[in-house]
């Protein structure tokens, strides 16, 4: 590795660390400022229903996020520094204003302050989503695991601290997030934040975006609505547990980071449906203990629901960014509307719960099971539908985007397939190893191979180790060099 490549590698690691830190701080702030572990963190007492809706729409960031989508110039390289500074000022001013007024303040003032605050947080959520799109698929999956662990640590420490310390942390986070964004987004002027394709390829991808965006947004919003609704059913009923809910909520984030790491490593698919297959059963088990009088079971239920809550939300964010990367059109369209859908679900879940509790005996175990069964069934069907549509619409799997024309790409693929077949015959590789060798010679990543062959990352790693051992090489570059040498002879 020469000096230039070493500096580039260090820069990439630095920027990756900044993005992990920035996204983790932004998400942790949202959970600490309005923790979904008590009624006070979900609903405002003494506020009319109409103002309550507007405040919640602003607090979860739905309306401000849509404003960000409709103003793409905010993320233009020439405007980005000023946008970051402006968003940080709005974020901090809105939060300090909310701290300075009482709950009995006029509803319009509460709405304005919450909207100002939500605008700042929403901008940075979209900013970090676009920044994460710059990494490859493997790095994105790793970064989200680290984000979950960091969020869990921050939530546990902050919510377990005295109010004065918590307020100081919440005031310092916007400054830290803005500093991270400036270091990541402005120091590198040649690295465009919003990538756009060109010509015919861009037109085709924009057409695919119009086809896939609506089902993507609906499925994400519906899924988060389920998670937040079920969490409210438990959290608002059990205000106090034998163990602090803040501790359990933060610990749930950390456990979900481990769960996602195992999910990514051993699952042949990391899509919506694959996630729902294990997240929803965990949620169902937690909800079954909702009516229990045994303190230990309630603690276990809280932990299971917090793990499901954190894991599903992060998997959905990860998938939104993945779909944005697969679309060579405007990434802001996918990231913005995808994140807005998550925020919509965070609003709809508690709102539906509030309406249901006013009209139905929510404490009934039978009603709980019926609601869960209906929502899980409908969610599974919707998730299956959107994944099928996305599979049909994206003929180009863009984990590794290429600037080659279609004919050049076909020729390159045919050449690597022929080279892989020659190496297979010479070194006695298996058919599966030959397939993976061909993809490695094309420069494909492990997530790409996993999704193409429908095998887990662990299985891919095992095959790669066998290939390296048989060929006597130690990394991908040595493999490519060997293939070139054999091709020349």
């Amino acid at each position: 590795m020469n000096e230039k490549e070493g500096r580039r590698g260090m820069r990439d690691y630095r920027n990756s660390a900044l993005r992990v830190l920035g996204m983790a701080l932004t998400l942790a702030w949202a959970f600490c400022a309005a923790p979904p572990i008590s009624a006070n963190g979900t609903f405002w007492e003494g506020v009319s229903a109409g103002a309550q809706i507007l405040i919640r729409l602003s607090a979860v960031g739905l309306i401000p996020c849509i404003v960000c989508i409709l103003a793409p110039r905010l993320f233009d390289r020439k405007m980005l520094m000023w946008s970051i500074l402006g968003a940080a000022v709005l974020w901090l001013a809105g939060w300090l204003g909310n701290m300075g007024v009482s709950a009995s303040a006029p509803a319009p003032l509460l709405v304005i302050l919450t909207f100002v605050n939500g605008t700042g947080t929403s901008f940075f959520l979209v900013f970090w989503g676009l920044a994460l799109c710059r990494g490859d698929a493997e790095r994105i999956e790793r970064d989200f695991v680290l984000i979950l662990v960091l969020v869990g640590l921050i939530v546990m420490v902050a919510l377990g601290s005295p109010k004065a310390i918590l307020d100081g942390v919440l005031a310092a986070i916007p400054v830290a997030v803005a500093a991270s964004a400036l270091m990541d987004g402005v120091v590198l002027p040649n690295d465009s934040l919003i990538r756009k394709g060109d010509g015919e390829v861009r037109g085709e991808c924009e057409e695919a975006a119009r086809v896939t965006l609506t089902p993507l947004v609906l499925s994400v919003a519906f899924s988060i609505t389920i998670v937040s609704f079920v969490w409210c059913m438990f959290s608002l009923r059990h205000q106090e547990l034998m163990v602090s809910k803040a501790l359990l909520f933060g610990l749930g984030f950390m456990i979900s980071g481990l769960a996602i790491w195992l999910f990514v490593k051993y699952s042949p698919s990391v899509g919506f449906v694959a996630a729902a297959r294990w997240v929803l059963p965990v949620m169902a088990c937690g909800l079954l203990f909702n009516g229990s009088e045994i303190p230990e079971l309630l603690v276990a239920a809280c932990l299971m629901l917090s793990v499901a809550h954190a894991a599903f939300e992060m998997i959905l964010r990860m998938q939104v960014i993945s779909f944005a990367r697969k679309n060579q059109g405007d990434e802001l369209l996918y990231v913005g509307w995808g994140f807005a859908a998550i925020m919509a679900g965070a609003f709809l879940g508690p709102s539906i719960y509030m309406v249901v509790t006013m009209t139905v005996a929510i404490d009934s175990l039978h009603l709980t099971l019926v609601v869960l069964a209906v929502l899980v069934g409908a969610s599974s069907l919707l998730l299956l539908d959107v994944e099928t549509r996305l599979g049909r619409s994206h003929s180009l799997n863009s984990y590794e985007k290429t600037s080659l024309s279609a004919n050049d790409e076909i020729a390159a693929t045919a050449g690597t397939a022929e080279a892989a077949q020659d190496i297979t015959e010479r070194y006695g590789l298996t058919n599966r190893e030959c397939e993976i060798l061909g993809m490695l010679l094309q420069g494909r990543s492990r997530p790409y191979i996993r999704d193409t062959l429908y095998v887990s990352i662990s299985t891919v790693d095992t095959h790669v180790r066998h290939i390296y051992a048989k060929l006597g090489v130690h990394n991908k570059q040595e493999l490519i060099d060997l293939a070139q040498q054999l091709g020349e002879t």
Side-chain angles (χ1 to χ4, degrees):
M1 180 183 295
N2 57 40
E3 185 178 351
K4 183 177 180 180
E5 290 176 342
R7 288 198 303 268
R8 183 182 303 168
M10 290 297 295
R11 187 193 71 177
D12 290 342
Y13 278 113
R14 187 204 67 172
N15 288 340
S16 179
L18 287 172
R19 292 159 196 170
V20 168
L21 178 63
M23 179 66 90
L25 287 173
T26 307
L27 291 172
W29 189 96
F31 286 114
C32 291
I37 57 176
S38 66
N40 293 334
T42 306
F43 305 112
W44 282 259
E45 294 182 0
V47 178
S48 65
Q52 184 101 245
I53 291 174
L54 289 175
I55 290 174
R56 279 206 55 76
L57 283 172
S58 299
V60 301
L62 176 59
I63 294 177
C65 187
I66 294 175
V67 172
C68 290
I69 300 169
L70 298 177
R73 285 180 59 84
L74 291 173
F75 301 94
D76 183 77
R77 180 58 57 186
K78 296 179 181 178
M79 288 285 296
L80 189 56
M81 183 179 70
W82 300 110
S83 298
I84 291 171
L85 294 174
V89 170
L90 290 176
W91 186 357
L92 192 57
W95 170 243
L96 294 177
N98 268 322
M99 290 176 58
V101 301
S102 64
S104 60
L109 177 60
L110 293 175
V111 171
I112 291 173
L113 289 175
T114 311
F115 179 82
V116 169
N117 180 28
T119 299
T121 54
S122 300
F123 170 86
F124 281 108
L125 283 175
V126 175
F127 172 88
W128 293 120
L130 292 171
L132 286 169
C133 285
R134 300 189 217 172
D136 56 39
E138 192 170 353
R139 177 171 294 177
I140 290 171
E141 293 170 355
R142 181 200 64 199
D143 286 350
F144 268 99
V145 171
L146 296 175
I147 288 169
L148 273 169
V149 174
L150 277 177
V151 170
L153 283 172
I154 296 169
V155 168
M156 283 196 300
V157 172
L159 293 183
S161 303
K163 187 177 185 304
I165 296 179
L166 173 61
D167 291 342
V169 170
L170 292 176
I173 283 179
V175 178
V177 170
S180 300
L182 288 171
M183 292 175 66
D184 178 57
V186 178
V187 171
L188 306 174
N190 295 326
D191 192 6
S192 177
L193 183 63
I194 302 178
R195 298 176 299 190
K196 296 183 178 181
D198 299 314
E200 185 177 350
V201 173
R202 175 173 168 80
E204 292 175 357
C205 292
E206 287 180 340
E207 180 64 27
R210 286 191 289 270
V211 174
T212 60
L213 186 60
T214 299
L216 171 65
V217 168
L218 290 176
S219 66
V220 169
F222 197 72
S223 302
I224 294 297
T225 299
I226 293 174
V227 173
S228 56
F229 179 88
V230 174
W231 174 257
C232 278
M233 291 177 67
F234 178 86
S235 183
L236 299 186
R237 178 179 177 181
H238 303 286
Q239 293 292 321
E240 298 293 336
L241 298 176
M242 62 182 294
V243 179
S244 167
K245 280 200 291 185
L247 175 64
L248 293 173
F249 196 67
L251 184 60
F253 269 89
M254 299 179 69
I255 295 175
S256 65
L258 174 62
I260 291 181
W261 177 76
L262 294 172
F263 175 58
V264 167
K265 185 173 180 63
Y266 294 106
S267 174
S269 172
V270 294
F272 288 130
V273 178
R277 286 175 186 150
W278 67 271
V279 170
L280 296 181
V282 171
M283 191 185 305
C285 291
L287 195 57
L288 283 174
F289 299 145
N290 189 35
S292 175
E293 299 297 332
I294 303 175
E296 291 80 7
L297 288 181
L298 292 177
V299 169
C302 183
L303 189 58
M304 283 189 285
L305 290 174
S306 62
V307 169
H309 183 289
F312 210 27
E313 178 174 338
M314 284 300 173
I315 289 172
L316 289 173
R317 289 188 187 277
M318 191 165 64
Q319 290 301 301
V320 165
I321 291 176
S322 175
F323 293 148
R325 295 183 68 254
K326 291 178 182 179
N327 171 49
Q328 289 186 337
D330 194 348
E331 291 173 344
L332 178 61
L333 196 67
Y334 269 86
V335 172
W337 283 110
F339 282 12
I342 293 174
M343 297 166 187
F347 164 75
L348 289 173
S351 301
I352 294 173
Y353 174 81
M354 184 168 59
V355 171
V356 171
T357 53
M358 292 178 180
T359 57
V360 182
I362 191 63
D363 287 338
S364 169
L365 176 60
H366 294 90
L367 177 61
T368 299
L369 295 176
V370 168
V371 170
L372 182 61
V374 170
L375 291 178
V376 168
S379 175
S380 298
L381 290 174
L382 187 56
L383 294 177
L384 181 61
D385 177 68
V386 67
E387 194 161 88
T388 302
R389 292 192 189 190
L390 287 167
R392 288 198 305 261
S393 300
H394 288 285
S395 59
L396 291 177
N397 187 325
S398 299
Y399 276 120
E400 294 80 30
K401 293 179 181 174
T402 177
S403 60
L404 294 175
S405 67
N407 290 334
D408 290 340
E409 187 170 0
I410 292 172
T413 302
T416 55
E418 183 178 351
Q421 188 61 45
D422 291 341
I423 294 174
T424 296
E425 294 174 358
R426 183 186 294 256
Y427 289 93
L429 304 183
T430 65
N431 291 334
R432 179 63 89 183
E433 290 168 353
C434 179
E435 286 182 287
I436 293 176
L437 174 61
M439 294 182 190
L440 292 174
L441 294 178
Q442 294 174 32
R444 302 300 190 181
S445 68
R446 297 188 306 160
Y448 179 93
I449 298 173
R450 173 196 62 201
D451 295 340
T452 302
L453 301 181
Y454 199 73
V455 296
S456 68
I457 287 286
S458 177
T459 302
V460 174
D461 289 341
T462 299
H463 285 303
V464 170
R465 284 197 301 270
H466 292 166
I467 292 171
Y468 285 179
K470 291 179 179 180
L471 272 59
V473 298
H474 301 90
N475 53 52
K476 187 184 290 187
Q477 186 57 54
E478 291 183 10
L479 176 66
I480 294 174
D481 291 342
L482 175 63
Q484 290 177 343
Q485 292 173 8
L486 296 175
E488 292 173 357
T489 58

